Amino acid sequence: MTIQPKLGDEGSRREKIDPLSSCLDEYALDGRIHLNGNSLGAPRHNLVPALERLVSGQWAPLQVRGWFHEGWLELPRTIGDKLGALLGAAPGQVVVAGETTSTTLFNVLVAACRLRSDRPVLLAEQESFPTDLYIAASVARLLDRDLVAVPRADLDIRLRDHGDQVAAALTSPVDFRTGERRDIGATTALCHHAGAISVWDLSHAAGVLPVDLDANDVDLAVGCGYKYLGGGPGAPAFTYVPARHQPDVDFPLAGWHGHARPFTMVPGFEPADGIDRARTGTPPVLSLAGLDHALDPLLEAGIEALYRRSRELSDYFLACLEESRPDLARQLVSPRDARRRGGHLAVRVPDAERVEHELAERGVHVDSRPPDLIRFAFAPLYVTKDHIRQVVDILTAVA
C-alpha cells in the first residue's frame, strides 16, 4: 500500500467544514469516483423526481398550454441568466437556444465574420478541440474566408502582427488536452486593438473557472452544458452576446423563435430584439430542465468558491502523485502553477487507453486522449481529497 500525504488535523478540519464538501451527497455517483467532469458531469440524486414533476405535473395535464403557463417559452432566457451569474455576464446576454455546441458555434462564427465582412481571415488555434476546427473550416468555405490555424503560443503574436486581416479569432480559455489557461482579457484586448471580433469556446471553463465575460469585454462566446455544468449527456449549448452587439449581430440560423413576433407566422424574418435573436427552433424543454436543475448548487457555491476548491483538489492530487509516483508526476504536461490551468490536469502515461480502462474497472472515471495523455478533472462539488488519495493508490497499481 502506498502512503499518501496526510491532510493533518488542520487539513482534515478544513476539509470537513468546507461548505462545498457538503454537496457530495447530492450527487448520484454509484460508489464511483468521477474525475472526468470535464467530459460529462455527474447527475444529482433528485434529477429524476424533478423531471417526473415536469412530465406528470405540467406536460401531461397541460399539454400545449404548458408553453404559456409554466414558463417553457422563457426557459432559454431564464437559464441563460442563471449561467450569466457563473460567466460574469449581466442579465439578458446569455441564451440557451437548445442547439448542440457545434450548431451554436457555427451560428456564432458566421455572425462574427459578418460583423467584419471586409476582412479575409478567420483565425484559430491548431490545438483547438477538433469540432471547433471542423466548424471553422466549414464557415471559412461558406463565406470564402481563409482559415488560418496557428500554434496556441502564436495566436497572440499573429493578432499583434497581422490582426488587421483578421475578421474573428476563435480560441478557448482552457486547452482541452493540457488544461493550460489563456488570459481572456489580454487576448480579447489584442483582438479589439486589431479591430477583430473575439470568439471564445468556454466548454472546458464554464462552471469551474471565472471567465468574467463582461469585465473582459468579450465579443461572442459559446459553451456546452454537459461538462462541469452537469446538464446531462448532450445538454444544450449556450450563446453569449453582449448588449453592445445585439442590435447588429446577424445569425445565419434564422429560426422562428428568434423572430421578433414568432406567433404571427409571417414569411419574412425579422430578428428579435436583444438576446432572443440568438434563438432558433422550439426549446427542448426536458433537456433545458435537466440543465436548469444542475445549475442550482453551482450558483449557490459561486464561481470563485468553485474555482478555489478545484485548485486545491488539483494541487493535492499533484502532491499525492509526487509522493507515490514521482516518475508519473514528472510526466505532467499541465502547468504546475494552479493559476495557469483550468479544472483538469493531464499526465503522460504509457498505454494510456489501457490505464483508463483499468481505472474504470476499479471504480474510477478518467479519460485518455491520444496519443498518451490521461486527464484528471476536479469537479469541485463531487470530488474530495479522500477520493484523490484512493485514485492515486489505484493509479500506482495499474500504471
Side-chain angles (χ1 to χ4, degrees):
M1 176 66 70
T2 56
I3 300 174
Q4 305 300 347
K6 303 299 182 183
L7 286 174
D9 293 341
E10 178 60 20
S12 296
R13 186 189 70 82
R14 289 199 305 270
E15 179 81 352
K16 289 178 181 177
I17 67 172
D18 189 323
L20 271 63
S21 296
S22 65
C23 296
L24 178 64
D25 292 339
E26 291 191 31
Y27 287 87
L29 304 178
D30 194 30
R32 306 177 75 82
I33 299 173
H34 293 246
L35 296 190
N36 65 342
N38 58 335
S39 285
L40 180 62
R44 296 167 65 201
H45 281 295
N46 57 356
L47 172 60
V48 172
L51 293 177
E52 173 60 27
R53 286 192 296 272
L54 188 152
V55 172
S56 299
Q58 297 178 17
W59 179 10
L62 294 174
Q63 293 290 308
V64 73
R65 289 179 300 157
W67 289 109
F68 307 97
H69 292 281
E70 296 296 340
W72 295 353
L73 286 173
E74 288 73 42
L75 277 176
R77 288 195 308 274
T78 57
I79 298 173
D81 285 346
K82 278 189 172 184
L83 279 167
L86 293 172
L87 301 173
Q93 299 184 113
V94 179
V95 69
V96 186
E99 307 293 341
T100 66
T101 313
S102 301
T103 307
T104 304
L105 180 60
F106 173 83
N107 217 23
V108 164
L109 277 182
V110 171
C113 289
R114 285 175 171 175
L115 286 170
R116 296 293 184 269
S117 59
D118 59 335
R119 294 185 169 207
V121 171
L122 175 55
L123 183 63
E125 296 174 343
Q126 292 175 357
E127 298 89 344
S128 295
F129 191 81
T131 292
D132 288 21
L133 291 174
Y134 306 157
I135 295 294
S138 179
V139 168
R141 292 195 304 273
L142 178 70
L143 300 181
D144 195 24
R145 305 294 176 94
D146 297 322
L147 174 62
V148 176
V150 299
R152 183 174 175 86
D154 293 344
L155 186 128
D156 284 359
I157 297 170
R158 182 83 184 200
L159 282 168
R160 280 196 298 266
D161 295 348
H162 304 285
D164 59 346
Q165 297 295 302
V166 176
L170 169 64
T171 185
S172 170
V174 179
D175 185 291
F176 85 98
R177 287 190 177 90
T178 69
E180 181 182 11
R181 285 183 67 175
R182 175 181 290 283
D183 187 324
I184 294 178
T187 297
T188 298
L190 284 172
C191 286
H192 291 171
H193 182 73
I197 297 294
S198 65
V199 180
W200 292 88
D201 181 347
L202 307 177
S203 295
H204 289 84
V208 74
L209 185 70
V211 292
D212 298 321
L213 297 179
D214 286 353
N216 284 314
D217 210 22
V218 166
D219 292 307
L220 298 168
V222 303
C224 74
Y226 50 82
K227 298 183 188 297
Y228 293 109
L229 295 176
F238 60 85
T239 304
Y240 166 79
V241 185
R244 69 182 186 277
H245 283 315
Q246 288 174 9
D248 303 314
V249 72
D250 180 13
F251 291 107
L253 300 179
W256 75 297
H257 278 258
H259 196 282
R261 294 168 288 113
F263 290 97
T264 60
M265 306 293 179
V266 294
F269 183 75
E270 177 188 344
D273 291 333
I275 194 64
D276 275 343
R277 67 176 50 200
R279 295 173 63 167
T280 48
T282 304
V285 172
L286 294 179
S287 295
L288 290 170
L291 176 57
D292 189 34
H293 181 267
L295 294 178
D296 289 338
L298 298 172
L299 288 166
E300 184 176 351
I303 194 61
E304 293 296 338
L306 295 168
Y307 178 46
R308 169 193 58 79
R309 176 71 171 169
S310 182
R311 290 200 318 268
E312 290 175 357
L313 292 169
S314 63
D315 280 343
Y316 187 67
F317 177 90
L318 278 180
C320 291
L321 195 65
E322 287 167 348
E323 178 74 20
S324 296
R325 287 294 302 270
D327 58 319
L328 287 182
R330 287 192 291 271
Q331 298 304 310
L332 178 73
V333 300
S334 305
R336 287 193 171 268
D337 184 348
R339 295 168 298 182
R340 295 184 52 236
R341 61 179 186 254
H344 73 272
L345 293 169
V347 179
R348 295 198 186 281
V349 178
D351 204 3
E353 188 174 357
R354 175 194 63 79
V355 172
E356 176 191 353
H357 292 305
E358 292 272 358
L359 289 170
E361 289 178 1
R362 289 161 173 78
V364 177
H365 292 306
V366 298
D367 61 16
S368 61
R369 288 292 179 267
D372 58 359
L373 292 183
I374 291 183
R375 303 187 305 173
F376 302 88
F378 305 96
L381 296 185
Y382 50 85
V383 176
T384 68
K385 291 181 178 178
D386 183 58
H387 287 157
I388 288 169
R389 289 195 296 269
Q390 294 179 55
V391 168
V392 174
D393 281 343
I394 296 169
L395 181 64
T396 297
V398 302

